[in-house]
Amino acid sequence: MELSDSASEKLALSEIDTALKRLIKVWAAVKKSRKEWDFKTSTQTLEVLTEELGKFSDRWVEQQTVILNALQANQDFVSSDDYPIELENALKAVGIPVKGEFPNYEFPPFKLTFSREQGVVRLSVGRRSQQIKAFAPEQLAPWVSGQYRRVIDSKFDAARFCRELISTYEMLNRLMLQKEEVVWGQSVPLKDIYRLLTMKQSTKQDYPEPLFIYDLARLKEQTEIRYDRYQFELEPSRNQASSFLLVNSQGQESRVSTLAIHLVETEG
């Protein structure tokens, strides 16, 4: 029975590993004997090294063909319709709630894009992106999972986020209504809030829009959005152009376009 391409490649790699280990061992002996001026051993080991190099050269021609054939088979698979199926299964197996179709996937706040032509896979959050050249699902999926978990498992400082929203809301509220005092309960566009939060270019790079949207989703997932004396209301919208699409931890989607903050009267 003929060996499969995978088994043939494993055998080829094993033989090359063995040959290289032998060469390294002989080369170490050559260097040691030369350092010690051990003329007899130097002559003997150089002869052995020449012989081993000749054997390796002969083996390499044959094994290189096996490896190149296996490489081509992998490339053909990545170009096939079966690759996205295996890829998506691998991503889901490590907990990635992947949506979309090859070569473009989304799982907030990330986007995963494949470029077969360039030989790279890009994982991005806004304009911030990382890339990897590994297309093997069993190698790629754990890497994507590591980057994803780093964000979603990070502690959400809801109090700090609420303070930032209040401060920005107050400024925009006064500007929009041209009043010196804040009119609590007035709706303010969330896109304007994000623009004001990230006026500095460096801030925008550190806090891209998808992360802001992700934080809004985490905030909205709370039963009641309260901070100190303030009640937050993320108001829905059907207009895609002026709204943000929020996806909660259960995969449920909602569109919001404005924020209204109400000043809650305290008893006593």
Side-chain angles (χ1 to χ4, degrees):
M1 184 176 68
E2 292 184 0
L3 293 171
S4 67
D5 289 341
S6 176
S8 297
E9 185 187 21
K10 287 180 181 178
L11 182 59
L13 293 174
S14 177
E15 290 189 5
I16 292 170
D17 281 340
T18 301
L20 287 174
K21 287 177 182 177
R22 173 66 177 164
L23 283 172
I24 291 171
K25 183 178 179 180
V26 176
W27 179 237
V30 170
K31 291 194 295 182
K32 182 175 182 296
S33 61
R34 286 296 301 121
K35 185 177 181 180
E36 297 173 350
W37 291 16
D38 180 347
F39 307 119
K40 183 175 181 179
T41 303
S42 292
T43 302
Q44 291 173 339
T45 51
L46 281 170
E47 289 175 356
V48 173
L49 180 62
T50 301
E51 183 181 349
E52 290 295 328
L53 283 170
K55 291 179 182 178
F56 180 78
S57 180
D58 293 339
R59 288 198 194 100
W60 174 245
V61 174
E62 179 182 349
Q63 308 303 351
Q64 183 186 32
T65 301
V66 174
I67 294 171
L68 289 173
N69 288 340
L71 176 63
Q72 186 60 53
N74 292 147
Q75 289 177 319
D76 291 342
F77 177 70
V78 170
S79 299
S80 74
D81 293 335
D82 293 328
Y83 177 71
I85 298 172
E86 186 168 320
L87 170 70
E88 290 165 21
N89 287 337
L91 290 170
K92 290 174 182 177
V94 294
I96 303 296
V98 61
K99 291 185 178 181
E101 295 181 355
F102 190 88
N104 300 306
Y105 298 100
E106 291 189 20
F107 39 99
F110 292 95
K111 289 185 178 181
L112 184 65
T113 308
F114 290 77
S115 176
R116 288 164 168 162
E117 297 76 16
Q118 297 179 6
V120 296
V121 182
R122 290 187 177 86
L123 183 65
S124 59
V125 178
R127 295 183 179 179
R128 213 169 56 186
S129 77
Q130 304 175 67
Q131 68 179 38
I132 190 173
K133 297 176 184 177
F135 276 74
E138 64 271 19
Q139 302 295 327
L140 180 62
W143 176 75
V144 173
S145 177
Q147 306 303 313
Y148 177 67
R149 303 303 310 183
R150 190 174 301 166
V151 172
I152 67 167
D153 290 343
S154 62
K155 183 180 179 182
F156 177 49
D157 191 342
R160 179 195 60 77
F161 188 49
C162 284
R163 288 195 296 270
E164 291 178 349
L165 289 177
I166 292 169
S167 175
T168 311
Y169 176 88
E170 288 178 328
M171 292 177 65
L172 287 172
N173 185 293
R174 287 194 292 261
L175 285 171
M176 287 172 55
L177 302 177
Q178 297 184 341
K179 293 181 178 292
E180 292 186 3
E181 298 295 325
V182 176
V183 180
W184 297 104
Q186 178 72 30
S187 298
V188 173
L190 284 164
K191 287 186 179 289
D192 289 344
I193 288 176
Y194 174 71
R195 277 191 285 268
L196 186 57
L197 273 174
T198 57
M199 284 186 66
K200 291 183 179 179
Q201 185 63 28
S202 59
T203 307
K204 197 168 186 177
Q205 290 173 351
D206 293 337
Y207 193 45
E209 188 176 274
L211 278 182
F212 174 68
I213 296 171
Y214 184 66
D215 282 344
L216 286 175
R218 292 203 278 188
L219 186 67
K220 188 175 184 293
E221 200 160 2
Q222 299 181 18
T223 305
E224 186 180 30
I225 311 174
R226 285 281 296 268
Y227 173 74
D228 197 14
R229 297 181 299 139
Y230 305 96
Q231 178 82 38
F232 292 73
E233 184 180 359
L234 291 168
E235 299 170 321
S237 172
R238 293 182 180 180
N239 188 335
Q240 294 189 17
S242 63
S243 64
F244 290 136
L245 177 63
L246 308 187
V247 182
N248 68 15
S249 60
Q250 304 303 314
Q252 298 170 326
E253 298 181 351
S254 60
R255 282 197 172 275
V256 295
S257 61
T258 54
L259 170 68
I261 299 179
H262 304 272
L263 187 61
V264 180
E265 296 294 334
T266 57
E267 296 182 1

